[in-house]
Amino acid sequence: NFLPAESYTDLPNQPCPAGLNETGTLDGRRVCSMCFDNGDHIRFFTQAVAARDVELLAGPASADDTPHAVVATLPAGLHFGALVRTVPLVDRVWANVGVGFNSSFLRQTNAPVVLLHARARGASAVVFNPDPARYAGAPSAPFDAPHNRLHALESFAMGGAALPLAGAPFLIDTGNNNISLADPDVRAALAAATRGTWSPDRLHVPRAYLDARPALDVTFRP
């Protein structure tokens, strides 16, 4: 979990990313903060740059397995946030790789298009730079992303149900195993369209609906 000192370089004077607060210093390094889940918890991190190539590994096949297959290699120079640890006084790589539209990670990896493939059964996936044929004919709507994790949607489609919106917030949190909708009207409309129920933050959908529409693709692109 912890980085060898020779594998990265601290950026002690690097300004915090746009929209994030500076909370002070630790051992002479500037500390930034980011809120999660509508502000119910917060994480502190310093900024660093990788001195070596960064390998992206495939996820484990089971709970007892460890990731080992290299999916892609990013060249040295990747900027990242390192979670502040006070015991011991060292940093750990920030596990939450931000895949929000126009996030720092996507800009550095030259991946402006992200596709979320959610399946009711089987493995879901996050696809960087998918084949345009996968989304060319899909319903589309303009959106605004004032922050990397918050999107304002004009419409939302699930299966055959299309919901007109008026800038409802759509939150992407890669630190949790969910994609959350913060607008209560959108949540109610989705429940009605799918004949599902919320309990409390998870939408439970009848099996018949999942059998008819087993997958949901959402694509973000400039």
Side-chain angles (χ1 to χ4, degrees), residues 3 27 40 44 57 69 98 101 103 123 127 131 157 161-162 182 221:
L3 285 176
D27 292 344
D40 69 357
F44 301 93
L57 305 181
F101 181 76
S103 71
V127 184
D131 185 340
R221 62 188 181 90

Side-chain angles (χ1 to χ4, degrees), residues 116-159:
L116 308 180
H117 180 66
R119 298 182 60 192
R121 300 178 182 86
S124 297
V126 177
V127 184
F128 297 156
N129 287 335
D131 185 340
R134 293 191 63 173
Y135 57 83
S140 63
F143 67 90
D144 181 39
H147 302 291
N148 291 338
R149 301 165 62 87
L150 178 64
H151 306 262
L153 298 182
E154 297 302 323
S155 66
F156 190 93
M158 175 177 278

Side-chain angles (χ1 to χ4, degrees), residues 19-39:
L20 303 186
N21 296 323
E22 179 180 344
T23 57
T25 60
L26 178 65
D27 292 344
R29 292 173 291 181
R30 182 173 296 177
V31 177
C32 306
S33 64
M34 176 175 282
C35 292
F36 292 81
D37 293 341
N38 294 323

